[in-house]
Amino acid sequence: MYAPAAGVQAGMVATPWDAGGPELVGREADLAQLTDVISGVCAGTARTFIVAGDAGVGKSALVSRACASAPPEALILRGGALPLASVDVPFLALRSAFRAAASGGQALLPPDMSGDARPDLLVQIDEWLTGQSRLRPVFLVIDDLHWADQSTLDVLMYVLAGPSDRPLGVIGTVRSNEIRQGGGLHQWLTDIRRLPRVRVHPLGPLDRPDTEAQLSGLLGVPAHQSLVNEVFTRSAGNPYLNLLLVTGLEAGARNLPPGFPPDLKSAVLRSWRGLSAGARELTQIMALGGRAAAAMELSAVAGSAVEADGVRPLLRSAVESGLVDLAPDGTYWFHHPIIAEALEQGLDAGERRRWHSAFATFYERQFDDDTPPEAGLVVSLADHYYAAGRTADAYRWSLTAAGLASANGALSDAVRLLRRSLQLRDALPSEMERPRELWNRLRAAAREAGALLTELEAIDGLLACIDATAEPLEVSHLMVRRMHLQFSTGQTFLPMADIREAVRLSAAAPDSWQHALALAELVHASMWHDEPAHEAQSRQALALAREAGNHLALSYALTAAAIVANLASRSAESRNLAAEGALEAVQARDFWAYVHATYWTANAQGPWTSEEYAVLLRRARQVMMEQGAPHTYIAKIAADEAASYLAVGEWRQCRAALRIALSFDPGPMGEVSVRLTAARLAQLQGRNVDAGIHLDRADELNHVNQENSARLNLDFDAVRAEVLVAAGRPKLAFAAAMAGATAPGPPPTMCEWLLPLAARALADQAQLARDVGHPTVELLVAAKELEERFPGVLHEPPGQSAFYFRQVAAFELLYSTELGRVRNQPGSAAAWAQTADAFRTAHLPWEEAYACRRGVEALLLQGHHRSPKAAELLRRGLTLAADLEAAPIRVALERLAAQARIPVAPVTPGRQPHEARLPGLTPREQDILEHVMAGRTYGEIARGLMISEKTVSSHISNLLRKTGAANRVDLARLASGEKPVSHGRITRGSA
């Protein structure tokens, strides 16, 4: 992915420009702005674009990729400044840029820049660039302007202030932290910003999804979320640091190894080693502090290790080196957090304990009884005591810090500190806090943070502490919540034994909200295990919850009632009940309940394979974001939103929703859904290797195999079958589809695809067998057995919308037509066209495009090369494939078009008068002429222009009369500038 950029962070290793154009990740918007500048220069306008950002952020990679988009005739002059210390070479960057032009024997050799700088050289360089720009677009690209000498900056200033009407572009890169207030580079940048057509573009680090994308590319497989979290925390999204951190890791690595890779440590500490001994020691102490600090604080902590009067000068030298930043509030911290980590690891264990203890002592002295302590400071105090090995102090302050962190929304800190408190308490038997109290606090913090595995750990800890006989209601409630968490982390799938035990325990208080909750979830679990969902139980749960007035129980009871109503085909009632359940979940701040209710609201509205479903999930996601819900739940909704958008062909919306899901750690079930949808998107667009990798990652996350995956509310088997059939492995695809179709329990998600995919896998095998002359008897028998066992496709229970059953009808046609392809039935072209039309009505464009492809194949195999239907179906499929970026279908159709010599040129009606193909034609005739040139049939032209075929025929007759063309072929040739073929009559005496 990213090659090492030209240097990293101030003092990090500088590497040469990689002109080869390294792979970019997540720079689409930045790249678009720079390529727009390049296009403007090629159009004849001088433009300037300076990319500013931290070292290693990818400035040179961005520029290199953008320059690759310039036209071949453009002259690209590349040069770079160097960090020379003992010599001063005027115009060094320009010399290196012009050297290639001089050695290439250009018509105009660049000016002689040997010797000292001289005033007339500015004019000579500018005139030479102007001369070159008269021949072709010229781009002067200078990397690392922060190292450029003043003479180079002066020349560039003169060039930038030159004429605007020349195709001359200046592109540069500069490190943001090298731009010192009041320095020469700062003044130069300030001055050029005043010039027209100059843009200084900040380039920030990668966000988390782009960091994940880069790591996945480097490793060759989707990166584990735990690894992404570690790398992103340490690198803050710097692409070069990402590269150094994972260099040498195995593809499936879940975590970074301890310590620092040697190359990374060398890069990070280069400038630190250039500081004075006092500055080095002071910055190491500051690194151990773990947070921004004022000079006074560092002086107090360091004590005699650093002269009191010398702290500020030492910090100033660190700032000047680019190692440390001075914040507006007067505190100091490292320019990049990984510098602090590297410096901390340079201290031995004894030194670390000494300075951690010093920081803890200093912080505790800052507290008094009148001023509430600042939460972040208390968290740091607890961490310092823990790192110093002072167990009792660490335990006491960890509990205090956890409470403050929770109150201030720092939930991850609260969870971390409470888990530590549980660990430390075992070494402090005299402490008063009971384990149950700590488990309860941890559970509450984990629930607010969306830390599902930690919350599950806390519930298991609580269940071990509580006597079910003495507290049946509490245990019942915990068992229901444990069931939800085990489901969400992929451990169990709503076990009936557990929920029945929860109902039994809560029946000790039959009027309690806990009993209402348990009954509601018994209804829910029964539905998934294909057991009757008793309406009486749902009514009882709803009545109990309403009577108890408990928002949590009421949310689940309303959703249970919605499930029953949905299964009974009472869609409007189901939608209203589930929507009310979602509102109650917000009141209870239970986002598992909110997600649960949202899905059933959407299910009652229509199938997940609809844009309306996707929009409803998007709105629910926005509500959760407004409510401050944990990202774990937002990610799950976003992942399923993506799946819905993908089904209806809105793949860009799909990709955007996947990006939202991955903006933070999506959690176990969120990532499974993300991977399945990503696998399907990749397969549909022809990236089969990526699809297989995503699918393998989903399997790994969910710990399932083909025998039990259909029991989950996920689309493992259908996606697996799609990926395998696209990869040319039809036998395995058939097995995957049948695993989903024959598994016990209710039909899985994407059940409608399973039997058509099984039939397609058989058809692919039969087609291959016929191509090589092998018998197809076994495949014909398998097709017959498949059809006898499954006369129709699988689908959701009755009660779905009419729109859903239009989709089912389309899949029925697909199933039947694929079985016909196994048998090589004659007349299949009409069936494929009918299937394509059915999928158009069902708003499933991927399947429509596929049916178009098969229809064209059938027509051409039947010898209908000149059939208007073949041309129409082919162009229809190509239009869909282009919009969907469905490369496999597009390539297949383009190949068929070439074989059948069917023109597929795009039609561009409505040309301007000066662009008219032929003079003397009306605008309508010009439009029709464009369609004729593209080889359209009368019917296609009529539908495209929304006129009758009779009107089309009349216009074409007029075109033939006006142009003297003998037919439509001659007319197209004439309009394209070719000489028409003579069609004169043969007379006596003719040769």
Side-chain angles (χ1 to χ4, degrees):
M1 305 302 284
Y2 275 94
V8 292
Q9 213 46 49
M12 297 182 185
V13 173
T15 58
W17 178 305
D18 178 6
E23 291 291 331
L24 283 178
V25 173
R27 297 301 191 194
E28 291 86 358
D30 305 291
L31 189 61
Q33 293 192 47
L34 185 46
T35 52
D36 178 64
V37 167
I38 291 173
S39 299
V41 171
C42 292
T45 304
R47 306 278 290 276
T48 299
F49 195 91
I50 307 296
V51 185
D54 282 347
V57 81
K59 303 181 295 297
S60 297
L62 174 69
V63 170
S64 188
R65 169 61 69 83
C67 287
S69 70
E73 67 273 12
L75 175 62
I76 300 178
L77 304 168
R78 303 171 186 258
L82 294 173
L84 302 180
S86 61
V87 294
D88 184 17
V89 182
F91 310 114
L92 176 61
L94 296 173
R95 291 171 197 262
S96 62
F98 294 157
R99 189 176 298 127
S103 62
Q106 301 293 333
L108 293 174
L109 292 178
D112 179 13
M113 289 184 287
S114 61
D116 297 332
R118 56 188 191 275
D120 63 323
L121 196 54
L122 279 73
V123 178
Q124 291 178 23
I125 293 172
D126 185 68
E127 288 177 348
W128 182 81
L129 290 169
T130 298
Q132 289 295 315
S133 70
R134 292 194 183 105
L135 304 175
R136 75 212 73 154
V138 175
F139 295 92
L140 178 58
V141 182
I142 304 296
D143 200 32
D144 294 323
L145 283 167
H146 46 276
W147 289 325
D149 60 286
Q150 190 59 48
S151 57
T152 297
L153 296 178
D154 288 343
V155 169
L156 292 176
M157 174 65 75
Y158 189 84
V159 171
L160 300 188
S164 62
D165 57 347
R166 54 182 178 174
L168 174 61
V170 176
I171 301 173
T173 68
V174 63
R175 290 186 187 173
S176 302
N177 64 315
E178 296 281 357
I179 304 171
R180 307 282 177 241
Q181 187 75 27
L185 180 61
H186 177 268
Q187 187 60 50
W188 183 82
L189 288 169
T190 301
D191 291 339
I192 68 167
R193 279 189 174 98
R194 300 191 183 103
L195 299 174
R197 301 173 307 283
V198 173
R199 182 185 306 172
V200 178
H201 179 77
L203 187 66
L206 301 179
D207 60 12
R208 189 184 182 282
D210 288 335
T211 295
E212 177 174 348
Q214 185 196 359
L215 297 183
S216 298
L218 290 168
L219 297 170
V221 297
H224 281 268
Q225 294 301 317
S226 55
L227 180 66
V228 176
N229 289 340
E230 281 192 41
V231 171
F232 188 65
T233 299
R234 294 175 73 176
S235 73
N238 185 291
Y240 182 44
L241 298 181
N242 292 342
L243 172 66
L244 293 181
L245 281 166
V246 301
T247 296
L249 283 188
E250 294 183 358
R254 295 173 179 268
N255 299 98
L256 290 172
F260 260 58
D263 288 346
L264 177 60
K265 190 169 185 178
S266 175
V268 168
L269 298 183
R270 180 176 177 127
S271 64
W272 176 79
R273 293 192 179 101
L275 296 176
S276 67
R280 289 199 303 271
E281 183 165 13
L282 181 63
T283 49
Q284 276 192 300
I285 294 170
M286 184 170 75
L288 211 65
R291 67 201 303 266
M296 177 274 297
E297 176 182 330
L298 293 172
S299 178
V301 171
S304 60
V306 178
E307 291 291 336
D309 293 340
V311 167
R312 290 185 187 278
L314 293 174
L315 289 170
R316 190 178 304 117
S317 69
V319 170
E320 289 170 354
S321 74
L323 193 79
V324 170
D325 291 333
L326 173 59
D329 64 356
T331 59
Y332 296 83
W333 189 241
F334 297 95
H335 186 75
H336 195 285
I338 205 166
I339 301 172
E341 186 180 349
L343 291 177
E344 183 177 352
Q345 290 200 1
L347 295 167
D348 64 35
E351 289 176 305
R352 291 187 198 182
R353 284 194 296 271
R354 171 193 171 195
W355 293 118
H356 279 302
S357 186
F359 271 106
T361 301
F362 172 79
Y363 287 152
E364 190 165 3
R365 285 175 183 163
Q366 309 309 305
F367 304 148
D368 58 54
D369 295 335
D370 299 327
T371 306
E374 188 259 314
L377 199 61
V378 180
V379 171
S380 293
L381 172 63
D383 287 341
H384 283 301
Y385 272 134
Y386 181 69
R390 294 169 61 172
T391 304
D393 291 323
Y395 176 76
R396 176 169 55 94
W397 283 108
S398 290
L399 289 175
T400 303
L404 289 170
S406 292
N408 285 273
L411 297 172
S412 59
D413 274 335
V415 169
R416 176 177 62 84
L417 291 162
L418 286 166
R419 293 190 72 184
R420 178 196 293 167
S421 299
L422 280 159
Q423 171 197 351
L424 293 174
R425 191 197 173 283
D426 292 339
L428 299 167
S430 62
E431 291 299 330
M432 297 298 295
E433 288 83 1
R434 293 186 301 160
R436 178 172 176 176
E437 294 170 358
L438 293 179
W439 284 121
N440 263 323
R441 289 185 62 181
L442 178 60
R443 179 197 165 210
R447 179 174 176 272
E448 284 295 310
L452 304 185
L453 287 169
T454 302
E455 186 183 354
L456 181 56
E457 175 192 2
I459 286 177
D460 285 337
L462 283 168
L463 288 172
C465 296
I466 302 174
D467 181 357
T469 305
E471 300 180 70
L473 297 183
E474 179 66 9
V475 171
S476 173
H477 177 208
L478 290 173
M479 289 186 70
V480 170
R481 182 61 179 174
R482 183 177 65 178
M483 181 180 74
H484 294 159
L485 294 170
Q486 289 173 334
F487 170 80
S488 293
T489 54
Q491 297 183 25
T492 62
F493 196 80
L494 306 178
M496 291 299 296
D498 285 4
I499 189 59
R500 287 192 176 114
E501 177 63 9
V503 171
R504 187 191 69 80
L505 287 170
S506 61
D511 296 332
S512 65
W513 67 263
Q514 290 91 341
H515 192 51
L517 174 64
L519 285 172
E521 284 307 274
L522 177 61
V523 173
H524 174 211
S526 297
M527 181 273 302
W528 279 113
H529 289 277
D530 212 17
E531 296 186 11
H534 297 293
E535 187 153 356
Q537 286 179 335
S538 70
R539 287 178 179 171
Q540 181 187 0
L542 185 55
L544 285 174
R546 289 197 188 280
E547 182 65 26
N550 181 274
H551 294 298
L552 177 66
L554 185 52
S555 173
Y556 283 101
L558 285 162
T559 304
I563 292 171
V564 171
N566 185 276
L567 296 178
S569 302
R570 303 195 301 271
S571 298
E573 178 188 348
S574 176
R575 184 168 58 250
N576 292 336
L577 286 165
E580 187 183 351
L583 294 175
E584 291 295 327
V586 171
Q587 291 294 316
R589 282 200 63 79
D590 189 302
F591 292 103
W592 207 102
Y594 182 83
V595 170
H596 180 45
T598 294
Y599 282 128
W600 283 100
T601 306
N603 290 339
Q605 177 173 287
W608 69 270
T609 48
S610 67
E611 188 168 0
E612 291 76 14
Y613 195 101
V615 169
L616 190 149
L617 292 188
R618 184 178 67 194
R619 289 173 181 163
R621 169 173 57 79
Q622 291 167 344
V623 168
M624 287 200 292
M625 293 171 75
E626 292 167 2
Q627 292 291 323
H631 184 72
T632 305
Y633 299 109
I634 294 171
K636 175 58 179 166
I637 286 277
D640 290 329
E641 173 192 340
S644 292
Y645 274 126
L646 179 60
V648 299
E650 296 289 345
W651 64 271
R652 293 177 182 83
Q653 294 270 36
C654 164
R655 196 166 61 179
L658 291 178
R659 188 175 186 82
I660 290 167
L662 292 170
S663 59
F664 298 96
D665 186 345
M669 291 304 287
E671 191 183 355
V672 170
S673 298
V674 165
R675 295 300 176 196
L676 288 171
T677 299
R680 187 159 192 249
L681 174 60
Q683 171 269 130
L684 289 168
Q685 294 189 328
R687 302 186 304 278
N688 291 334
V689 173
D690 289 349
I693 290 171
H694 282 300
L695 182 57
D696 288 345
R697 176 76 173 120
D699 275 330
E700 177 192 346
L701 284 162
N702 215 53
H703 308 294
V704 299
N705 54 42
Q706 292 184 15
E707 283 70 35
N708 65 16
S709 61
R711 297 195 65 189
L712 300 176
N713 61 336
L714 296 167
D715 42 10
F716 272 97
D717 294 307
V719 173
R720 182 178 287 110
E722 275 194 326
V723 169
L724 288 167
V725 78
R729 304 172 73 183
K731 290 184 179 180
L732 292 176
F734 179 80
M738 295 307 295
T742 59
T749 302
M750 285 188 72
C751 63
E752 303 83 1
W753 276 259
L754 290 169
L755 294 171
L757 282 167
R760 177 181 172 180
L762 291 176
D764 285 356
Q765 294 176 72
Q767 187 170 318
L768 179 61
R770 286 191 290 268
D771 289 345
V772 298
H774 288 173
T776 60
V777 175
E778 291 184 4
L779 294 168
L780 293 172
V781 170
K784 181 180 179 182
E785 291 175 349
L786 178 66
E787 190 171 22
E788 288 175 350
R789 183 173 183 181
F790 296 101
V793 300
L794 301 176
H795 56 79
E796 298 290 342
Q800 305 297 320
S801 66
F803 176 69
Y804 171 72
F805 283 105
R806 283 205 302 274
Q807 293 185 334
V808 171
F811 281 108
E812 294 279 10
L813 282 171
L814 180 61
Y815 181 37
S816 173
T817 312
E818 290 285 20
L819 288 171
R821 189 160 69 92
V822 181
R823 298 167 182 137
N824 203 21
Q825 288 179 184
S828 61
W832 280 114
Q834 184 183 3
T835 303
D837 290 342
F839 277 118
R840 174 184 282 179
T841 302
H843 298 172
L844 295 173
W846 302 98
E847 288 72 24
E848 180 189 351
Y850 171 76
C852 287
R853 172 207 163 178
R854 292 299 185 196
V856 174
E857 283 179 347
L859 285 164
L860 298 186
L861 285 171
Q862 293 165 21
H864 301 301
H865 291 72
R866 298 192 176 277
S867 164
K869 188 64 179 176
E872 183 177 353
L873 204 58
L874 188 146
R875 294 189 191 105
R876 173 178 164 187
L878 274 177
T879 299
L880 282 166
D883 184 57
L884 297 169
E885 294 195 4
I889 293 175
R890 176 183 56 77
V891 169
L893 288 172
E894 286 174 348
R895 184 178 62 249
L896 291 169
Q899 291 169 355
R901 298 184 180 180
I902 299 174
V904 293
V907 177
T908 54
R911 298 169 67 90
Q912 297 300 318
H914 69 279
E915 298 178 302
R917 295 282 187 187
L918 296 170
L921 303 184
T922 67
R924 175 59 82 185
E925 288 168 345
Q926 291 284 1
D927 288 347
I928 288 177
L929 180 58
E930 296 294 333
H931 284 272
V932 170
M933 292 184 68
R936 301 295 192 263
T937 65
Y938 278 31
E940 288 177 308
I941 298 172
R943 285 188 289 277
L945 297 177
M946 292 183 290
I947 57 178
S948 69
E949 290 190 37
K950 183 176 180 181
T951 302
V952 172
S953 177
S954 175
H955 279 303
I956 290 179
S957 296
N958 289 338
L959 285 166
L960 297 176
R961 176 179 53 79
K962 287 183 178 183
T963 61
N967 51 41
R968 286 190 295 161
V969 175
D970 265 3
L971 179 62
R973 287 190 174 124
L974 185 66
S976 62
E978 300 179 27
K979 185 177 179 179
V981 177
S982 173
H983 296 278
R985 293 175 182 165
I986 299 176
T987 60
R988 199 175 282 124
S990 299

